[in-house]
Amino acid sequence: MLRFLTAGESHGPELVAVVEGVPAGFEIDVAKINHDLARRQKGYGRGGRMLIEKDEVRPVSGIRFGRTIGSPVTFIVVNRDFKSWEKRMSADPRDRGEAKVVTRPRPGHADLAGVLKYNLEDIRDILERASARETTARVAIGAFAKQFVAPFGIDILGYVTSIGATAAKIPNHLSLAELRAATEESAVRVADAEAERAIIEEIDACKKTGDTLGGVVEVVATGIPVGLGSHVQWDRKLDGRVAHALMSLQATKGVEFGLGFEAGRVRGSALHDEIGFDTAERRFTRRSNNSGGTEGGMSTGEPLRVRVAFKPLSTLMQPLRSVDIRSKEEAEGTIERSDVCAIPAAAVIAESVVAFELANAFLEKFGGDSLAEITRNYRGYLKQVRDF
Ligand code: EPS
């Protein structure tokens, strides 16, 4: 079983990711991890911070000569902005007093619940870790995890389906490769030029009025064999695990698979994906994929299709009403440098956490300590399914 922890504050010196349960013998291309980190940094609507950072991992354990060796893998990403925060984010008690205390919680942020729960008087102690800067580590882990499933033909892509009130019209005949090409070129990760223009206009309008925008992203994964996850126990269900991973991201408000919430509004006859059998290829087929690729908590062999809604960022340049936690007087929420819209980045982040969950479920199913062992198990299982 793979597991991971991340650590690090938004303006601290470094972010850290530790992944445990890593099998040996997998080729790891660090450039691919850095490529995904760069994708995460892009997107129209970001603030000044992304001009400061150039996220790159420094692998410090678990990889030798480009291959995993079975030990925990650790990645470090330096926060370049720390230079401007050294005193304010110092671990040294003598530097207390260097930082202005943040006392006005932003509605929608972790600020208020966090200081009450942890009994802290400076909101910065909460916001630093609640910040979506943490997703840098998740993307590094996801890009690493992708390299466990890529050799077995699993491909995963996240893209934007809507930002604010503008929904993209994405032709449903596009292959994952075509979708990738179209969304990588888009400033907002949308495969619809008209929607892109409208979204950019809306982001500009929000910037002018000090407002923010949320959106919905979709993640599609192809090449998943039937039978990842299990129906037998609640915490082994693949969709449950993917949903948990997505809902653990900052600012998420909902997850849906396949037809999603619409599934609750149509009849069974219109929803369920009828089964066929391709005698030439000797495999079961589906006439639709309204399930989004899971039934009974197991992968069906069809593409996994999941959407996640992110609320607008809670740092508003035109702040909402709040209360000062010291004086208890009415005050406006704190203004921090922030983004207007981070949904294009959220697509890469969602893709990354889905990648981790798929890699984990894959390694569980075909478990072993090395690439060779996993490959044997995988091939044997595919043969079993084919000969069924
Ligand atoms: C964030 C606020 C902004 C964003 C940040 C998330 O940071 P800063 O306060 O330093 O300008 O840029 O996102 C990142 C740093 C990142 O890497 O995505 C927040 O409050 O969540």
Side-chain angles (χ1 to χ4, degrees), residues 176-335:
L176 215 55
E178 288 166 328
L179 262 175
R180 176 172 284 121
T183 54
E184 286 304 320
E185 269 183 21
S186 163
V188 288
R189 247 170 235 293
V190 156
D192 172 352
E194 207 176 303
E196 177 180 290
R197 274 193 294 279
I199 288 168
I200 288 174
E201 262 174 42
E202 204 173 344
I203 292 174
D204 288 340
C206 277
K207 188 164 188 187
K208 274 202 193 105
T209 56
D211 220 327
T212 55
L213 278 175
V216 177
V217 312
E218 182 162 73
V219 180
V220 176
T222 57
I224 304 168
V226 63
L228 299 194
S230 176
H231 64 295
V232 302
Q233 198 58 262
W234 69 274
D235 57 353
R236 294 179 59 189
K237 297 190 183 218
L238 183 67
D239 43 3
R241 289 159 58 167
V242 168
H244 181 189
L246 289 167
M247 285 306 296
S248 76
L249 293 175
Q250 296 78 352
T252 50
K253 278 295 170 194
V255 172
E256 55 178 12
F257 290 81
L259 215 57
F261 277 70
E262 191 55 27
R265 292 186 274 267
V266 298
R267 294 189 177 180
S269 55
L271 179 77
H272 297 298
D273 306 312
E274 289 186 305
I275 301 170
F277 191 74
D278 183 331
T279 37
E281 285 197 30
R282 280 208 56 77
R283 63 179 191 92
F284 291 99
T285 57
R286 297 303 179 114
R287 295 172 213 276
S288 53
N289 186 23
N290 291 331
S291 75
T294 69
E295 281 174 343
M298 291 172 280
S299 56
T300 60
E302 297 297 309
L304 183 86
R305 189 174 289 274
V306 57
R307 282 176 300 283
V308 51
F310 292 84
K311 66 185 180 181
L313 297 168
S314 47
T315 306
L316 271 61
M317 296 305 145
Q318 187 62 54
L320 296 173
R321 278 180 298 181
S322 182
V323 169
D324 188 292
I325 56 171
R326 261 197 312 225
S327 69
K328 314 291 186 293
E329 309 256 309
E330 190 174 316
E332 288 180 338
T334 296
I335 299 179

Side-chain angles (χ1 to χ4, degrees), residues 10-11 15 40-41 46-50 53 55 81 85 106 109 127 130-136 250 313 315 336-339 345 349:
S10 178
H11 303 99
L15 298 163
R40 194 201 71 94
Q41 287 202 262
R46 293 285 248 158
R49 176 77 183 270
M50 287 306 100
E53 303 298 343
D55 296 333
D81 204 23
W85 289 81
R106 289 158 293 177
H109 209 278
L127 72 85
S131 165
R133 178 75 185 143
E134 188 259 349
T135 60
T136 308
Q250 296 78 352
L313 297 168
T315 306
E336 286 264 323
R337 177 186 60 190
S338 189
D339 310 319
I349 298 159

Side-chain angles (χ1 to χ4, degrees), residues 7-148:
E9 271 71 48
S10 178
H11 303 99
E14 291 170 348
L15 298 163
V16 182
V18 182
V19 189
E20 218 275 316
V22 175
F26 281 82
E27 306 271 343
I28 300 301
D29 184 349
V30 170
K32 286 188 178 153
I33 300 175
N34 291 335
H35 174 72
D36 276 355
L37 290 178
R39 289 172 68 219
R40 194 201 71 94
Q41 287 202 262
K42 283 194 209 153
Y44 195 80
R46 293 285 248 158
R49 176 77 183 270
M50 287 306 100
L51 302 173
I52 300 167
E53 303 298 343
K54 185 176 185 304
D55 296 333
E56 280 177 351
V57 290
R58 185 161 61 89
V60 295
S61 74
I63 300 173
R64 190 156 180 252
F65 308 131
R67 278 199 322 186
T68 57
I69 56 170
S71 58
V73 168
T74 307
F75 294 115
I76 287 177
V77 178
V78 167
N79 284 322
R80 290 190 173 190
D81 204 23
F82 179 62
K83 277 199 206 81
S84 317
W85 289 81
E86 241 177 299
K87 287 283 179 195
R88 287 179 286 170
M89 290 301 292
S90 165
D92 188 333
R94 286 169 300 185
D95 291 329
R96 189 182 291 279
E98 293 283 338
K100 195 167 164 281
V101 176
V102 182
T103 59
R104 291 174 288 127
R106 289 158 293 177
H109 209 278
D111 297 353
L112 182 58
V115 283
L116 292 173
K117 175 178 166 65
Y118 285 91
N119 195 30
L120 292 165
E121 59 281 354
D122 186 351
I123 288 170
R124 179 153 305 284
D125 291 336
I126 301 301
L127 72 85
E128 283 290 332
R129 181 63 184 158
S131 165
R133 178 75 185 143
E134 188 259 349
T135 60
T136 308
R138 304 259 210 135
V139 170
I141 293 165
F144 173 63
K146 274 181 198 168
Q147 300 186 45
F148 291 105

